[in-house]
Amino acid sequence: CIMLISTMFLVACKERENTDTTFAEGYYRVYTVNNNQTGLTWDKYKVESPNTDDLILELLGQISYETTNFPQKHAINENVILKEYSITEGILTLNFDSMYQNQDTIMEALIRAAIVKTLTQLDEVEYVEFYVNGTPLSDAYEKPIGQMTSEDFIDDNDVETSYLPAVITLYFATEDGQNLVDCTEKILYDGSMTMEQ
């Protein structure tokens, strides 16, 4: 009787684990930008490709504007053209053309989050790194963004509430415009975008 109950418990845990974290084998979440362009949404998708390279191409195809399966804003659109990709030791490198840098800052962060969160579901992809014309993608301070995982992005699909507490420092110009004054604030911020935004 104890063994039967233990077996039922283990099966229930396994089923819950599959439901909470991943779908049945062959299914993935394809992330896109929501219609309000304020966060991410996802749809369940069954892949057909048998190997890693084909899986990457298939998932990239599903988040491309050329695919009509999903009505939301596609992560790879007419302004986001992927020139090439490579994968080495768990690091997937995506090289985009120069138009990638012409995007609105918030939209770029959402697109980057959708791509990273979609592709890091693959067992073979631990990190994703973005390049633009062979140069590492940099932030507003010209600092390379580097390798990213899905944990680098928080969105409404991953947390119960989209508002998270934080302590930030804001900088304002003085009245004469010659200096900066710092101000520390406790805030609740929307988890669908980065702290900088």
Side-chain angles (χ1 to χ4, degrees), residues 11-24:
V11 170
C13 286
K14 185 66 176 175
E15 287 177 355
R16 189 176 72 233
E17 179 183 320
N18 284 340
T19 303
D20 292 346
T21 58
T22 58
F23 300 113

PDB file of all heavy atoms in Angstrom, residues 11-24:
ATOM      1  N   VAL A  11       4.504   9.864  -9.703  1.00  0.00           N
ATOM      2  CA  VAL A  11       3.898  10.120 -11.011  1.00  0.00           C
ATOM      3  C   VAL A  11       3.237  11.487 -11.035  1.00  0.00           C
ATOM      4  O   VAL A  11       3.388  12.257 -11.975  1.00  0.00           O
ATOM      5  CB  VAL A  11       2.876   9.011 -11.364  1.00  0.00           C
ATOM      6  CG1 VAL A  11       2.061   9.405 -12.595  1.00  0.00           C
ATOM      7  CG2 VAL A  11       3.599   7.688 -11.613  1.00  0.00           C
ATOM      8  N   ALA A  12       2.521  11.843  -9.965  1.00  0.00           N
ATOM      9  CA  ALA A  12       1.851  13.143  -9.887  1.00  0.00           C
ATOM     10  C   ALA A  12       2.868  14.272  -9.921  1.00  0.00           C
ATOM     11  O   ALA A  12       2.673  15.284 -10.589  1.00  0.00           O
ATOM     12  CB  ALA A  12       1.003  13.230  -8.624  1.00  0.00           C
ATOM     13  N   CYS A  13       3.986  14.102  -9.189  1.00  0.00           N
ATOM     14  CA  CYS A  13       5.040  15.129  -9.186  1.00  0.00           C
ATOM     15  C   CYS A  13       5.626  15.283 -10.570  1.00  0.00           C
ATOM     16  O   CYS A  13       5.885  16.394 -11.027  1.00  0.00           O
ATOM     17  CB  CYS A  13       6.140  14.764  -8.195  1.00  0.00           C
ATOM     18  SG  CYS A  13       5.656  14.992  -6.482  1.00  0.00           S
ATOM     19  N   LYS A  14       5.874  14.165 -11.254  1.00  0.00           N
ATOM     20  CA  LYS A  14       6.449  14.214 -12.590  1.00  0.00           C
ATOM     21  C   LYS A  14       5.511  14.911 -13.559  1.00  0.00           C
ATOM     22  O   LYS A  14       5.916  15.742 -14.358  1.00  0.00           O
ATOM     23  CB  LYS A  14       6.745  12.783 -13.066  1.00  0.00           C
ATOM     24  CG  LYS A  14       7.454  12.710 -14.405  1.00  0.00           C
ATOM     25  CD  LYS A  14       8.835  13.303 -14.312  1.00  0.00           C
ATOM     26  CE  LYS A  14       9.582  13.136 -15.627  1.00  0.00           C
ATOM     27  NZ  LYS A  14      10.863  13.798 -15.606  1.00  0.00           N
ATOM     28  N   GLU A  15       4.196  14.613 -13.450  1.00  0.00           N
ATOM     29  CA  GLU A  15       3.233  15.251 -14.332  1.00  0.00           C
ATOM     30  C   GLU A  15       3.164  16.738 -14.063  1.00  0.00           C
ATOM     31  O   GLU A  15       3.126  17.547 -14.978  1.00  0.00           O
ATOM     32  CB  GLU A  15       1.854  14.614 -14.146  1.00  0.00           C
ATOM     33  CG  GLU A  15       1.742  13.234 -14.741  1.00  0.00           C
ATOM     34  CD  GLU A  15       0.398  12.591 -14.480  1.00  0.00           C
ATOM     35  OE1 GLU A  15      -0.419  13.195 -13.743  1.00  0.00           O
ATOM     36  OE2 GLU A  15       0.184  11.495 -14.993  1.00  0.00           O
ATOM     37  N   ARG A  16       3.206  17.127 -12.776  1.00  0.00           N
ATOM     38  CA  ARG A  16       3.172  18.543 -12.435  1.00  0.00           C
ATOM     39  C   ARG A  16       4.420  19.244 -12.935  1.00  0.00           C
ATOM     40  O   ARG A  16       4.376  20.346 -13.439  1.00  0.00           O
ATOM     41  CB  ARG A  16       3.004  18.728 -10.923  1.00  0.00           C
ATOM     42  CG  ARG A  16       2.755  20.185 -10.556  1.00  0.00           C
ATOM     43  CD  ARG A  16       2.501  20.363  -9.072  1.00  0.00           C
ATOM     44  NE  ARG A  16       3.719  20.168  -8.331  1.00  0.00           N
ATOM     45  CZ  ARG A  16       3.840  19.334  -7.308  1.00  0.00           C
ATOM     46  NH1 ARG A  16       2.834  18.613  -6.914  1.00  0.00           N
ATOM     47  NH2 ARG A  16       4.988  19.219  -6.676  1.00  0.00           N
ATOM     48  N   GLU A  17       5.565  18.554 -12.806  1.00  0.00           N
ATOM     49  CA  GLU A  17       6.813  19.149 -13.278  1.00  0.00           C
ATOM     50  C   GLU A  17       6.744  19.412 -14.770  1.00  0.00           C
ATOM     51  O   GLU A  17       7.121  20.475 -15.244  1.00  0.00           O
ATOM     52  CB  GLU A  17       7.969  18.188 -12.976  1.00  0.00           C
ATOM     53  CG  GLU A  17       9.316  18.692 -13.448  1.00  0.00           C
ATOM     54  CD  GLU A  17      10.416  17.677 -13.188  1.00  0.00           C
ATOM     55  OE1 GLU A  17      10.393  17.054 -12.127  1.00  0.00           O
ATOM     56  OE2 GLU A  17      11.266  17.529 -14.073  1.00  0.00           O
ATOM     57  N   ASN A  18       6.218  18.464 -15.548  1.00  0.00           N
ATOM     58  CA  ASN A  18       6.102  18.650 -16.985  1.00  0.00           C
ATOM     59  C   ASN A  18       5.154  19.791 -17.324  1.00  0.00           C
ATOM     60  O   ASN A  18       5.381  20.542 -18.251  1.00  0.00           O
ATOM     61  CB  ASN A  18       5.608  17.357 -17.652  1.00  0.00           C
ATOM     62  CG  ASN A  18       6.704  16.315 -17.742  1.00  0.00           C
ATOM     63  OD1 ASN A  18       7.872  16.649 -17.661  1.00  0.00           O
ATOM     64  ND2 ASN A  18       6.328  15.055 -17.888  1.00  0.00           N
ATOM     65  N   THR A  19       4.094  19.940 -16.553  1.00  0.00           N
ATOM     66  CA  THR A  19       3.128  20.992 -16.816  1.00  0.00           C
ATOM     67  C   THR A  19       3.682  22.362 -16.468  1.00  0.00           C
ATOM     68  O   THR A  19       3.506  23.324 -17.200  1.00  0.00           O
ATOM     69  CB  THR A  19       1.849  20.747 -15.992  1.00  0.00           C
ATOM     70  OG1 THR A  19       1.344  19.460 -16.328  1.00  0.00           O
ATOM     71  CG2 THR A  19       0.805  21.791 -16.282  1.00  0.00           C
ATOM     72  N   ASP A  20       4.413  22.448 -15.351  1.00  0.00           N
ATOM     73  CA  ASP A  20       4.880  23.749 -14.873  1.00  0.00           C
ATOM     74  C   ASP A  20       6.082  24.271 -15.655  1.00  0.00           C
ATOM     75  O   ASP A  20       6.212  25.457 -15.873  1.00  0.00           O
ATOM     76  CB  ASP A  20       5.256  23.663 -13.387  1.00  0.00           C
ATOM     77  CG  ASP A  20       4.023  23.445 -12.511  1.00  0.00           C
ATOM     78  OD1 ASP A  20       2.909  23.634 -13.029  1.00  0.00           O
ATOM     79  OD2 ASP A  20       4.191  23.079 -11.341  1.00  0.00           O
ATOM     80  N   THR A  21       7.007  23.395 -16.044  1.00  0.00           N
ATOM     81  CA  THR A  21       8.255  23.873 -16.619  1.00  0.00           C
ATOM     82  C   THR A  21       8.342  23.665 -18.118  1.00  0.00           C
ATOM     83  O   THR A  21       8.699  24.564 -18.850  1.00  0.00           O
ATOM     84  CB  THR A  21       9.457  23.188 -15.941  1.00  0.00           C
ATOM     85  OG1 THR A  21       9.310  21.762 -16.104  1.00  0.00           O
ATOM     86  CG2 THR A  21       9.531  23.536 -14.476  1.00  0.00           C
ATOM     87  N   THR A  22       7.996  22.481 -18.592  1.00  0.00           N
ATOM     88  CA  THR A  22       8.044  22.213 -20.011  1.00  0.00           C
ATOM     89  C   THR A  22       6.816  21.420 -20.403  1.00  0.00           C
ATOM     90  O   THR A  22       6.124  20.874 -19.562  1.00  0.00           O
ATOM     91  CB  THR A  22       9.306  21.393 -20.379  1.00  0.00           C
ATOM     92  OG1 THR A  22       9.272  20.175 -19.632  1.00  0.00           O
ATOM     93  CG2 THR A  22      10.571  22.155 -20.081  1.00  0.00           C
ATOM     94  N   PHE A  23       6.570  21.358 -21.704  1.00  0.00           N
ATOM     95  CA  PHE A  23       5.469  20.563 -22.207  1.00  0.00           C
ATOM     96  C   PHE A  23       5.963  19.151 -22.473  1.00  0.00           C
ATOM     97  O   PHE A  23       7.101  18.808 -22.197  1.00  0.00           O
ATOM     98  CB  PHE A  23       4.929  21.194 -23.488  1.00  0.00           C
ATOM     99  CG  PHE A  23       4.427  22.592 -23.307  1.00  0.00           C
ATOM    100  CD1 PHE A  23       5.075  23.646 -23.909  1.00  0.00           C
ATOM    101  CD2 PHE A  23       3.320  22.855 -22.528  1.00  0.00           C
ATOM    102  CE1 PHE A  23       4.620  24.946 -23.738  1.00  0.00           C
ATOM    103  CE2 PHE A  23       2.854  24.147 -22.357  1.00  0.00           C
ATOM    104  CZ  PHE A  23       3.507  25.194 -22.961  1.00  0.00           C
ATOM    105  N   ALA A  24       5.085  18.354 -23.029  1.00  0.00           N
ATOM    106  CA  ALA A  24       5.486  17.019 -23.444  1.00  0.00           C
ATOM    107  C   ALA A  24       6.628  17.141 -24.451  1.00  0.00           C
ATOM    108  O   ALA A  24       6.839  18.191 -25.056  1.00  0.00           O
ATOM    109  CB  ALA A  24       4.288  16.307 -24.070  1.00  0.00           C
TER     110      ALA A  24
END
